[in-house]
Amino acid sequence: MGKATGFLEFPRQNEGYEPVTKRVKHYKEFVFALSDSEAKIQGARCMDCGIPFCNNGCPVNNIIPDFNDLVYRQDWKSAIQVLHQTNNFPEFTGRICPAPCEAACTLGINELPVGIKSIEHAIIDKAWEEGWVAPQPAKHKTGKTVAVVGSGPAGMAAAQQLARAGHDVTVFEKNDRIGGLLRYGIPDFKMEKTLIDRRIEQMQSEGVTFRPGVMVTDGELPAGIKNYARETISAQALQDQFDAVVLAGGSEVPRDLPVPGRELAGVHYALEFLIPQNKEVAGDGPNEIRAEGKHVIVIGGGDTGSDCVGTSNRHGAESVVQFELLPQPPEEENKPLVWPYWPIKLRTSSSHDEGCERDWSVATKEFIGGEGKDSGKITALKACRVEWKDGKMQEVPDSEFILKADLVLLAMGFTNPVGSLLSAFGVDTDARKNARAATEGERAYQTNVPKVFAAGDVRRGQSLVVWAIREGRQAARSVDAFLMGHSELPR
Ligand SMILES: Cc1cc2nc3c(=O)[nH]c(=O)nc-3n(C[C@H](O)[C@H](O)[C@H](O)COP(=O)(O)OP(=O)(O)OC[C@H]3O[C@@H](n4cnc5c(N)ncnc54)[C@H](O)[C@@H]3O)c2cc1C
Ligand code: SF4
């Protein structure tokens, strides 16, 4: 513990943001990381608690009190060594993790928690700047081969760990670029894609082969998921050619809203809007779905919805409204009741601050098309208010209303992984159609199919980047133990 009285002396300092009027004019990141001296003060606030609840609250179990102390002492090189012990990609989580660690911080019981995420951000950015993030190729090759299907954070973490253990790893990705939802989902203004590119280079130097534009399949993709693959390879071919296979294909099937008018032009799944936007920023040509001058309604209140809000405002939407089916949560959590767990409370993202009217307890009943030149296009939306009793939703009588709408984005989450990927391998699924695999015990992350493993959203359902990294790392250890009889990779 760097400074015993730090938590009494120093307040929390959040990272700064570029003003809204400036940042909505571009797609670059707009967060100002803490300076060295600001990060030092944040590190000094850590109480180095006997039981570090933050460490348990962090899905990758980052050793938070240790790196807080090292940053307080300005020993940045040791800090990145500690951080990399548990997290392959802190530059991703330091930007886009919702920071459950901070909800679990003991100082947070009666004060504002330590800014753990901002410290993580500062450590990894400095490490890259200083050239301390170097490839770590394995000293000995094992001669074993592993195929990883999907290049999101779960696939990337699994691939990096397995390559460092000496295996020959090939990552198959149906999209034309590597990164999963980090690349094609999360907008550049939250996380710039050069961060993925430099990790790809590092991983290539460690021996990972990336094969973008190759879909592993014996079937079709469902509606709402675009196929950017140039080639296909069958599940059988992977099973024949590799000693182990890790399925890390994410949970891609979007939840639909099958109300009258769903077929109208201007009603889209969120990723039909967000993926082409990321491709546009990458230089692939314009996003054909435009929000300029339009009344945009985003249906769904989570991260995906918030990203649609931020992107619509950058397009220059006339108005942006976001609906949520659930009631508005309280502004503050009941700390004694929920600490150290993740609280349900009102969360306002930087995208909301850029301009958005949020409305809760609203259900959409119909998309309304126009007439004449607007025939076949959405022009309005009919909704009603709902109330929740004993967990059941009821329509509030006489509460229907109509709003102008030229663009509706469905951001109500993802129901399950693409079934054809799992059935191609014969992988059993659970009640939610996710790949069935335990996370503990000798068969951790193994599916029912010999030598086929599953990790990330494909196994746990729609989740977070940090959980995907955890699962990728843990699955890698299981694969390594399966191939070699034992593993020295960390769990
Ligand atoms: C718009 C949006 C914003 C989000 N924002 C955040 C956030 O701010 N913070 C956060 O923590 N989480 C966020 N999430 C959630 C997070 O992105 C996911 O939980 C995480 O990316 C899951 O990682 P994964 O590796 O399991 O899967 P994905 O990232 O989904 O990667 C799976 C990859 O597998 C590929 N694939 C699938 N099937 C095949 C096949 N048959 N052959 C070849 N390739 C295949 C897919 O193309 C995809 O690239 C967001 C999600 C969305 C949609
Ligand atoms: S990965 Fe997320 S939960 Fe873990 S320390 Fe970083 S911000 Fe906190």
Side-chain angles (χ1 to χ4, degrees), residues 86-215:
T86 52
N87 190 350
N88 296 61
F89 312 121
E91 64 274 38
F92 304 161
T93 47
R95 285 169 169 79
I96 55 171
C97 184
C101 55
E102 294 185 15
C105 172
T106 315
L107 186 55
I109 296 175
N110 62 343
E111 255 287 350
L112 290 176
V114 175
I116 300 166
K117 177 178 162 183
S118 62
I119 295 175
E120 182 176 30
H121 184 185
I123 296 171
I124 182 62
D125 279 12
K126 181 176 266 308
W128 277 105
E129 269 162 39
E130 298 288 338
W132 297 332
V133 186
Q136 298 172 33
K139 290 202 178 76
H140 306 285
K141 293 296 248 179
T142 62
K144 305 279 185 191
T145 56
V146 185
V148 176
V149 182
S151 69
M156 284 181 71
Q160 184 163 61
Q161 294 295 94
L162 286 164
R164 288 178 177 178
H167 307 302
D168 277 325
V169 183
T170 307
V171 179
F172 294 88
E173 169 55 61
K174 68 178 162 52
N175 287 336
D176 54 355
R177 290 185 179 88
I178 297 298
L181 287 170
L182 292 167
R183 171 82 64 181
Y184 286 146
I186 295 171
D188 289 66
F189 56 81
K190 270 170 55 180
M191 201 193 102
E192 285 176 19
K193 309 309 166 197
T194 48
L195 303 179
I196 309 172
D197 297 336
R198 65 188 183 186
R199 276 295 174 187
I200 294 172
E201 271 178 41
Q202 182 199 34
M203 289 172 65
Q204 283 170 329
S205 305
E206 290 168 352
V208 177
T209 304
F210 289 102
R211 293 199 52 197
V214 182
M215 178 153 79

Side-chain angles (χ1 to χ4, degrees), residues 96-98 149-155 172-175 179-182 185-186 190 214-216 248-252 271 274 303-304 307 414 421 455-458 463-466 468:
I96 55 171
C97 184
V149 182
S151 69
F172 294 88
E173 169 55 61
K174 68 178 162 52
N175 287 336
L181 287 170
L182 292 167
I186 295 171
K190 270 170 55 180
V214 182
M215 178 153 79
V216 178
S251 175
E252 292 195 289
L271 285 184
L274 295 176
D303 274 338
T304 307
D307 293 345
F414 300 83
L421 173 66
D457 282 9
V458 77
S463 185
L464 294 172
V465 168
V466 65

